[in-house]
Each structure stands twice: as structure tokens, then as C-alpha cells.
Amino acid sequence: MDTPKIAITFDDGPHPYYTEQLLDGLKERGAKATFFVMGKQAEAYPELVLRMHEEGHLVGNHTYSHIQLGENNRETFKAELVRTNELLSDITGEEPQYVRPPYGSWDKSFETELTMIPVLWTIDPMDWCSSDVKGIVSRVTRKAEENAVILMHDEYKSSVTAALDIVDILQKRGYEFVTVDEILFD
């Protein structure tokens, strides 16, 4: 029987302290993750983006400033994606293919214009608005299933603590943590 795969993703980073803790914890556990980084954070902490890439995590685009796509800012939104792609490409040597649009707002035409694949989520524990580690862990582990995509954020201490607890619990249940491309295209 195949090992069930699950993806844990982190938006809004990298954070200078918590992302490093998270990367250490993922490395200890042999777990892969996907990081949807903001351009302004990548610009501030390129060494963390490079570390993500070098340790086998997928680095995706989360716009430059966490702009929400609206009716009147399509070109600005697109420009932020392009700027962030250039930054990430300079750091990792690879053009990002995956994008997590802030708030899930997306324009399908960008997929061909920018050759980018939007990645949403199937489990959202609302970790950005709660510091209740046990609650976050419970919300994820109750809904966990094969090929689920977990949405989390790597700029909160409680989220990083919860994420590593989630990895421990789900690995004990037999799950393998993979990057989102393995869920989407395998």
C-alpha cells in the first residue's frame, strides 16, 4: 500500500526567527513543506529562502506585499507577482511556478500570462488569528486526509509550534509530508 501524502504550506514569510525554527524542525523530522513567500520578506531574508530551496522545500510566490486582487488593481497585482518571481529566481536560480494568491483571489488568465499555477488549500486552521496551539493542531489533525493541503503561516510562534506537532502526529499516522507539486501532479 502506498504511503498517504499530505502537504503543509506556509504563507507570508520568511520570518527572521520563526521560519528558521520551522526549517530546523522540518529537517529533524524529514518532512517537506511548501513556502509561499512574500517578495518583501524574501528581499529582507534571502538566506532563508535559499535555505528552503536547498533543503528540498518548494518555494512559491505570495505577491510582493500581500496585495489582494480586486477589480481595479489587476496590473498592480500582476506586477507584484512578476517582481516576486524575479526576486525568488535570483535567490534560488529557479523560476517559481506556483502561486498562493492572498485571500484566494485569483484571475485565471494569469495562469497562461505568467505560466503560474495557483495553489489554494483544503484545510485552514485559522492559525493567523489564534495562538491556541492545541486548537490549531486539533483542527488540522481531525480533517487530515490523503492529498490534503494545509494552510499555515510561518510568522507566528504558535503556528510554528502547532505545525511541528501536526507533523509529529500525522507522521505517526503514516503520512508523508511532501511539496504541493507532488499532490497536484503525481
Side-chain angles (χ1 to χ4, degrees):
M1 188 176 132
D2 282 350
T3 305
K5 290 176 168 51
I6 195 162
I8 191 163
T9 67
F10 298 93
D11 288 8
D12 300 350
H15 181 278
Y17 180 71
Y18 298 125
T19 301
E20 195 161 358
Q21 277 191 319
L22 178 61
L23 287 167
D24 290 345
L26 292 169
K27 190 177 194 173
E28 282 169 26
R29 292 159 175 81
K32 297 298 178 218
T34 302
F35 291 87
F36 291 101
V37 301
M38 285 194 299
K40 66 180 187 179
Q41 295 302 101
E43 210 167 45
Y45 310 106
E47 69 287 349
L48 286 170
V49 174
L50 184 60
R51 181 177 169 193
M52 291 168 185
H53 177 72
E54 287 177 342
E55 292 182 3
H57 304 292
L58 185 69
V59 178
N61 188 327
H62 197 49
T63 72
Y64 186 81
S65 69
H66 206 270
I67 184 175
Q68 181 169 11
L69 177 63
E71 287 175 30
N72 303 318
N73 69 350
R74 188 180 186 284
E75 288 310 309
T76 307
F77 185 89
K78 186 176 164 185
E80 283 212 11
L81 289 174
V82 169
R83 181 177 179 188
T84 302
N85 271 356
E86 287 167 358
L87 274 166
L88 296 177
S89 192
D90 286 348
I91 295 167
T92 67
E94 284 181 18
E95 184 80 20
Q97 291 182 287
Y98 299 91
V99 57
R100 160 87 36 86
Y103 312 101
S105 306
W106 184 244
D107 178 332
K108 203 139 175 58
S109 67
F110 289 148
E111 292 169 37
T112 46
E113 283 178 47
L114 301 173
T115 325
M116 295 198 80
I117 300 161
V119 178
L120 298 179
W121 54 87
T122 59
I123 300 173
D124 178 2
M126 305 293 283
D127 65 305
W128 59 272
C129 64
S130 170
S131 56
D132 172 17
V133 171
K134 280 190 170 75
I136 295 166
V137 170
S138 169
R139 285 193 287 280
V140 172
T141 55
R142 270 184 314 178
K143 293 180 181 172
E145 59 184 7
E146 187 166 11
N147 297 326
V149 177
I150 304 161
L151 166 64
M152 295 193 75
H153 300 79
D154 56 337
E155 82 264 43
Y156 307 107
K157 182 182 197 305
S158 54
S159 294
V160 169
T161 303
L164 296 175
D165 287 352
I166 288 163
V167 171
D168 289 341
I169 290 165
L170 295 181
Q171 281 182 332
K172 281 189 183 97
R173 289 189 197 166
Y175 283 94
E176 179 188 358
F177 281 83
V178 299
T179 53
V180 291
D181 52 328
E182 287 194 53
I183 300 265
L184 299 175
F185 297 107
D186 267 10

